[in-house]
Amino acid sequence: MDSLDAGPRTAAARAPGAAEKALLLLESLTQLSAAGVPPTLTSLVTASGLAKSTTHRVLSLLIRRGLVTYADGTYRPGPALADLAAGALGLPVGRLRATLLPHMVDLYELTHETVNLAVLQGSDVVLVERVHGSRTQRASFRLPERVPAHSTALGRALLDATDPFATAPSGAGARGDHTGILLSEVRRQGVSTSLGELIPGVACLALPVLDEARNPVMALSVSGWVQSMDLLAVAKHLRSVSLAACLALLTEER
């Protein structure tokens, strides 16, 4: 009898528990997002190896807890997940988001492009807030919520930050075309840039938000189609709003 019961008990021991199922789905979601694959129910079932009904049930729980969001058939990391990640780093993300959100709105009004706010977690950047309008919402690109820091303007703004408002580093060489020349000029203003590294044709300009000790705590960026962005104007607005955000953070800390 014991030998007959051993098989079911062994299978039960191998089956993931509720907590492990949630972790599997969160890991699968972030990995798919980082790879640029839309985290749909089908792709999450495939990536996690869980049954479809189980995947849907656990995702519903994660949505209720704010760890995952759902829109247009796609699941994405939720604000509570970013808060947990930043909390492990000692960053009060909720307070910082509330302080910086008005400045993000100002930056959107100036540029009418997608404005992003991100934190550094290990070797990745994690998006914690985004502001866009109806026109940018309809744009056919969607930036992932978590990506390797070195591959993004946001990540480089956090990794390489010193004090972009005091000094302007020399820019990388131009690509030999008009866009390359403009990006080189933007870099000379101390702004981190990327072009097509995540999505072909999409440019991103970013600057860090510094605390009182001049350490980067978050980064602001503006993203949009390069053919329609006024790169120099966006860089100018980004610098002014980022400086205002730093001053707001400094005032709050005091």
Side-chain angles (χ1 to χ4, degrees):
M1 183 65 69
D2 289 344
S3 61
L4 293 176
D5 292 341
R9 283 203 303 269
T10 302
R14 289 198 300 267
E20 188 175 356
K21 291 173 184 176
L23 289 173
L24 275 171
L25 285 173
L26 289 173
E27 290 173 353
S28 299
L29 190 154
T30 55
Q31 289 167 1
L32 290 172
S33 295
V37 178
T40 62
L41 181 61
T42 300
S43 64
L44 285 169
V45 167
T46 301
S48 66
L50 299 174
K52 184 176 182 179
S53 59
T54 300
T55 301
H56 187 270
R57 184 176 67 254
V58 176
L59 285 170
S60 297
L61 173 62
L62 294 173
I63 289 172
R64 290 197 298 271
R65 304 294 296 184
L67 296 168
V68 172
T69 61
Y70 177 77
D72 301 325
T74 303
Y75 296 88
R76 301 190 180 281
L81 187 61
D83 289 349
L84 286 173
L89 300 174
L91 294 176
V93 169
R95 177 178 62 80
L96 292 173
R97 185 192 290 122
T99 299
L100 299 179
L101 185 56
H103 299 282
M104 296 179 68
V105 174
D106 288 345
L107 188 52
Y108 169 76
E109 290 295 334
L110 289 167
T111 64
H112 293 287
E113 301 287 357
T114 300
V115 178
N116 308 288
L117 181 67
V119 297
L120 188 66
Q121 183 191 8
S123 59
D124 295 340
V125 286
V126 179
L127 189 72
V128 297
E129 190 60 85
R130 174 176 289 153
V131 173
H132 53 67
S134 58
R135 181 180 68 83
T136 50
Q137 187 177 22
R138 290 195 301 268
S140 58
F141 74 87
R142 186 187 292 272
L143 297 175
E145 272 74 10
R146 184 188 186 102
V147 290
H150 63 81
S151 67
T152 67
L154 279 165
R156 288 192 284 270
L158 288 164
L159 292 171
D160 302 335
T162 50
D163 188 346
F165 306 106
T167 59
S170 58
R175 299 184 314 162
D177 58 16
H178 182 64
T179 299
I181 292 171
L182 289 177
L183 286 173
S184 183
E185 174 58 31
V186 168
R187 294 188 193 103
R188 279 194 287 271
Q189 297 179 36
V191 178
S192 297
T193 70
S194 66
L195 174 58
E197 294 178 53
L198 291 178
I199 302 172
V202 172
C204 184
L205 311 184
L207 278 173
V209 178
L210 308 176
D211 62 14
E212 187 172 6
R214 312 308 290 170
N215 296 316
V217 292
M218 287 184 158
L220 277 171
S221 77
V222 180
S223 301
W225 294 110
V226 67
Q227 69 266 23
S228 61
M229 282 181 69
D230 185 336
L231 294 172
L232 294 180
V234 167
K236 175 184 175 182
H237 295 315
L238 177 62
R239 283 179 60 83
S240 64
V241 172
S242 295
L243 178 57
C246 290
L247 293 174
L249 192 60
L250 179 62
T251 300
E252 184 181 83
E253 289 175 348
R254 291 180 175 177

